[in-house]
Amino acid sequence: MATNRRISRVAELIKREVSQMLLHGIKDDRVGTGMVSVTYVDVSGDLQHAKVYVSIYGTEEAKSETMAGLKSATGFVRSELGSRVRLRRTPEVIFIEDDSIERGTKVLSLLNKLEYERSPQNLTAGDHTTDEDDDLFE
C-alpha cells in the first residue's frame, strides 16, 4: 500500500499527462466535439486503478459523444501513461464525467439572484422578508 503523499503525487502526475494527451495525443474526433478538461484524478491505495474525472463543456449530445470517445481511447491512454510515467504497474484508467462545475455555476446564479432580490434598492419601505424566503435557508 502506498503512502498518501505518493498517491497524491501519482494522481497529479496522471492528471498532467492525461491533460496533455487530451490536447495533443488523442486523435479521436469525438473527443474534440466538447471542450474537455481533467478536473480530478482519484488513484486507489494500491495504485492499480485511476478514476479520471473530466469536465465537458457543450451540449448533451457533445458530452455523450466525448465520453464515448474517451471510453474507446482508454487503452491508448493507459499505454501512453505506461510509457510516460515510471510505475511498476500502469493503473487501469476509468473516465467519469464531472458535473461539479455546472452545479457550482447553478448555485452561484441562485446566490446572485437572491442577492439581487434582497438588495436595498429592490425592497420598498413596507416590504420585508416573508416566510417563503426563510424556507429557502432551512
Side-chain angles (χ1 to χ4, degrees):
M1 185 84 91
T3 63
N4 287 337
R5 183 174 174 207
R6 179 174 164 109
I7 292 170
S8 63
R9 283 181 27 217
V10 169
E12 277 300 311
L13 188 59
I14 291 173
K15 179 180 176 182
R16 185 174 350 128
E17 293 300 328
V18 171
S19 296
Q20 286 298 315
M21 282 184 243
L22 286 173
L23 288 174
H24 305 292
I26 299 175
K27 302 285 190 242
D28 194 339
D29 291 336
R30 294 178 291 180
V31 176
T33 57
M35 192 172 79
V36 184
S37 63
V38 178
T39 56
Y40 181 70
V41 175
D42 183 26
V43 179
S44 65
D46 59 358
L47 303 176
Q48 297 298 309
H49 302 283
K51 294 178 184 174
V52 179
Y53 292 88
V54 293
S55 178
I56 304 166
Y57 183 75
T59 63
E60 287 300 318
E61 181 181 325
K63 288 180 184 182
S64 62
E65 273 187 40
T66 302
M67 283 306 294
L70 287 174
K71 286 187 192 312
S72 70
T74 301
F76 169 77
V77 170
R78 184 173 186 218
S79 66
E80 280 292 307
L81 274 177
S83 65
R84 294 181 183 196
V85 179
R86 285 184 34 102
L87 291 172
R88 188 171 296 154
R89 296 192 66 196
T90 305
E92 292 285 333
V93 177
I94 302 166
F95 286 103
I96 300 172
E97 186 177 352
D98 185 12
D99 63 345
S100 62
I101 294 175
E102 292 172 1
R103 285 184 288 149
T105 303
K106 192 179 291 187
V107 167
L108 283 174
S109 68
L110 287 172
L111 288 172
N112 287 337
K113 182 179 175 187
L114 278 174
E115 181 181 9
Y116 174 77
E117 289 175 356
R118 291 178 178 223
S119 65
Q121 66 242 20
N122 290 334
L123 294 175
T124 59
D127 190 17
H128 297 287
T129 60
T130 62
D131 292 334
E132 291 176 9
D133 292 337
D134 293 336
D135 292 341
L136 292 172
F137 297 105
E138 291 179 358

